[in-house]
Each structure stands twice: as C-alpha cells, then as structure tokens.
Amino acid sequence: MSYAQTLIPPQPAPKEIVKPITGTRVVGSFLVLLWALLAASLIYMVIAGWDVDKFTRYGPRYLHGLMTTIILVAISVIFGAALSLPLAFARMSKNRIISTLAYCYVYVFRGTPLLAQLFLIYYGLGGFRAQLEAAGLWWFFRDAWYCGLFSMTINTAAYQAEILRGAIESVPSGQHEAASALGIHKTVAFRKIVLPQALIVALRPYGNEIILLIKGSAVVAIITVLDLMGETRYAFSRTFDYQTYLWAAIFYLSMVEALRHFWNWIERRLTRHLKR
C-alpha cells in the first residue's frame, strides 16, 4: 500500500485572461446603457406626471379592462386547447382528405393576421345576417365580445394544434412499441404514456403562445370591446395624455411577467424527476 511522502507545494493561481475590448462589446454595452436610460426616463415621467384625479377617475376602468382581457384570453385558451386536440390528430391522420383539411385550417389561421380574421368575422359575417338568424346564431355574431372570443379561439387553436402535433411526434416510437408489447391498449398508452411526455415537451411553446395571445388580444379594442386596450383608448380620448398608453404597457408587462414566472414554476414542478 503506497502513501504520499511529501506534500505538493502550493501553486500560484492561473493568470486571469484579460478579454480584449472589441467592437461588439462596445456596441453591446452602449445598447444596455441606452435601454437603462430609457427605463429610467420612463419611470421618471410616470412619477413626475402622476395625476391623482386621472388615477381616481380611470383607475377602475383600467381594472375592468384588465379583467376583461384576462377572461377573454383564459376562455379562448381553454376552448382552443379543446379544439387543438382533434386538429392535431387530423394533421397526423393517414387519411389524406382529413389531413389536408386540417392542414388548410392550420395554414390559413397561422398565415393570416389575427386582425384580418377578426374583421372577417365581425364585419364579414354581418352580410349573412338572414342566414345566421335562420340558424339561430345571430345573437352570437352580432356581439363584439363574442366575435373577439371566437376569433381568438380559432386562431390559437391552429397554433396549439401544431404545438401538440410536434410534441406528440417527438415522443420516441419505442414508447409505443413497448406499450404494445405489454398488451396496453393504444388509447390507454396514449393517455398515460405518450401524452404526458408530449405535454412536457409542449409546455414551453404553450407558454409562448399564451403570451402572444395576451398581447394579440389588444386588437379586439378596434371592434369596441372594452378590454384593457379599449379602456386605454377611452382614457386617451378624454385626456390626450400619452401616459394612458404607458400604463397599459405596464399592465401588459405585468401580466406577461406573472405568467412567465408561473409557467417556470409549473415546468420545474413537472420536470423535477428529470433533473439530477
């Protein structure tokens, strides 16, 4: 059995590598400084231009618009998720007719702006009022709130279908083969083996889609829905104060930041078994 006879003498610390000053570092530092100055100026303008009377008068309207936005986004995400599952299956179907129809739906609603879809639903379907009244659907399409909800739902359903399809196809085929070898029914295998793994993969894209939908929901203000942006436009038309839009940006940023932290917590919770 061997053992050390002498101790290794202490060695000097390695020399610190001095990074050279490059043009990229200079430009990056300048941009960071510029953004910091912009943020400081915005904070100063909010504090310096604080008007208690405007806050008292329009603060409740902002909260009402914020709640309307949250409700619109939440309902459209839930209904869009319910619609995206059969759409994803249709996209993966071996039947060419079904897969082509699903592809056309996804292609159209992902390839056109949400604003154009909203106008087509709110203004375009008004030309079919007689037919909609005969079908008993005019009460739905004559209301701007329902039209905004419907357009947001069918738009996010197309995005969610592609997210879910990609996540399902990312699950290794060995999972399906192992379940089949154990005699597990395909429906049970999909619900308990494939889908949980696919949802973990799709978790981050789902969060990004919800964030995009929160910001995109501002377009419903154009068709007189008094969401957060709608209330902001109302406040600006009465005060002509640019800070009304600054407060709207702060509210949207707060919603996105809260959702981001909540989504990170969900991801850490669901993937804790994958971390070592």
Side-chain angles (χ1 to χ4, degrees):
M1 181 176 182
S2 62
Y3 56 90
Q5 297 289 339
T6 58
L7 296 177
I8 299 176
Q11 301 295 321
K15 294 182 179 180
E16 183 179 357
I17 300 176
V18 180
K19 295 182 179 179
I21 299 177
T22 61
T24 304
R25 292 184 63 188
V26 172
V27 173
S29 302
F30 175 75
L31 291 177
V32 170
L33 179 62
L34 185 64
W35 279 108
L37 292 175
L38 179 61
S41 62
L42 288 176
I43 294 173
Y44 172 76
M45 285 189 295
V46 169
I47 297 175
W50 181 262
D51 191 333
V52 179
D53 181 60
K54 292 178 183 177
F55 178 78
T56 305
R57 183 181 303 175
Y58 299 108
R61 297 188 69 99
Y62 271 86
L63 294 178
H64 174 267
L66 177 65
M67 186 57 61
T68 302
T69 297
I70 293 174
I71 293 174
L72 268 174
V73 172
I75 297 177
S76 60
V77 166
I78 293 173
F79 286 171
L83 183 60
S84 68
L85 188 60
L87 272 175
F89 279 119
R91 286 280 285 117
M92 295 183 294
S93 175
K94 295 181 180 180
N95 188 313
R96 295 183 63 87
I97 297 176
I98 295 176
S99 62
T100 302
L101 290 175
Y103 172 79
C104 291
Y105 175 91
V106 172
Y107 180 81
V108 169
F109 285 100
R110 290 180 69 207
T112 56
L114 176 59
L115 182 61
Q117 299 166 20
L118 182 63
F119 281 170
L120 286 173
I121 293 171
Y122 184 65
Y123 296 114
L125 292 181
F128 302 93
R129 177 174 178 176
Q131 291 82 355
L132 292 173
E133 285 180 343
L137 296 174
W138 179 241
W139 65 271
F140 184 91
F141 290 103
R142 72 179 180 185
D143 192 296
W145 195 90
Y146 288 123
C147 288
L149 175 64
F150 182 70
S151 62
M152 290 170 60
T153 298
I154 60 178
N155 180 270
T156 190
Y159 284 93
Q160 291 188 43
E162 283 298 282
I163 292 171
L164 188 58
R165 180 186 67 85
I168 292 174
E169 291 183 346
S170 70
V171 177
S173 58
Q175 301 287 335
H176 302 271
E177 295 169 359
S180 177
L182 292 173
I184 301 176
H185 193 271
K186 289 185 177 181
T187 304
V188 178
F190 175 79
R191 183 167 54 88
K192 293 190 175 183
I193 298 174
V194 177
L195 188 59
Q197 297 179 67
L199 290 179
I200 291 177
V201 175
L203 194 60
R204 182 64 62 177
Y206 264 120
N208 294 336
E209 168 58 20
I210 297 174
I211 288 174
L212 290 175
L213 193 62
I214 290 175
K215 294 184 291 185
S217 66
V219 300
V220 300
I222 300 177
I223 59 170
T224 70
V225 177
L226 291 178
D227 66 330
L228 180 56
M229 186 55 66
E231 296 290 4
T232 302
R233 293 179 64 195
Y234 175 85
F236 181 78
S237 67
R238 298 297 188 275
T239 62
F240 295 100
D241 187 355
Y242 71 94
Q243 289 199 32
T244 55
Y245 287 103
L246 181 59
W247 279 108
I250 292 173
F251 274 111
Y252 278 111
L253 182 62
S254 301
M255 281 193 292
V256 169
E257 197 64 17
L259 177 65
R260 187 177 68 85
H261 284 285
F262 176 67
W263 219 253
N264 287 338
W265 176 83
I266 293 178
E267 187 176 19
R268 289 195 305 269
R269 181 74 177 175
L270 294 179
T271 59
R272 61 187 185 275
H273 63 286
L274 302 176
K275 297 179 180 179
R276 298 177 180 177

